[in-house]
Amino acid sequence: MRNKRKNTLSVPLVVLEEPAAIDYAHLLFSSNIPLAVVSNEYSAVVPFMLGNNGRTAAFVADVDDPDQLAEAIVIIERRFGRVDSVIRYASDVPAEAARAS
């Protein structure tokens, strides 16, 4: 039987390309904060799959391909709830997180 409970959590989707975004993803992951990560390289998402605490969704997809990105977002929203932000560049990392690193 499928879980019919509606997820109400919102999570960031972090694109594992730029060092600042990768550092932010590691900060959230190590703090057990729910997040989703995506990269076009399998090796980039593996650390988020290993030791996964159930609060992280990791995907290999081309974020420059609208269909692949949309498919990842649909899966994330089914699992967690709303994707509230996409963190791809250093300028996307929340200021308080950037100061902490």
Side-chain angles (χ1 to χ4, degrees):
M1 176 180 229
R2 257 195 124 115
N3 184 355
K4 299 283 186 182
R5 182 175 53 100
K6 174 121 171 84
N7 294 322
T8 57
L9 187 65
S10 62
V11 297
L13 172 58
V14 182
V15 179
L16 303 174
E17 288 179 354
E18 288 199 0
I22 294 168
D23 290 346
Y24 181 60
H26 282 288
L27 173 69
L28 296 176
F29 185 75
S30 65
S31 301
N32 288 324
I33 296 172
L35 77 148
V37 295
V38 63
S39 175
N40 63 350
E41 295 182 20
Y42 183 75
S43 61
V45 300
V46 167
F48 296 92
M49 296 170 143
L50 299 175
N52 189 329
N53 56 14
R55 293 184 177 97
T56 304
F59 298 90
V60 177
D62 179 355
V63 296
D64 292 319
D65 178 330
D67 292 333
Q68 289 186 41
L69 182 58
E71 185 176 350
I73 289 172
V74 166
I75 294 167
I76 294 162
E77 290 182 339
R78 283 185 186 146
R79 179 167 177 195
F80 290 118
R82 186 172 61 90
V83 172
D84 65 357
S85 59
V86 176
I87 310 296
R88 186 171 187 176
Y89 304 107
S91 59
D92 299 329
V93 175
E96 61 274 7
R99 284 191 296 272
S101 58

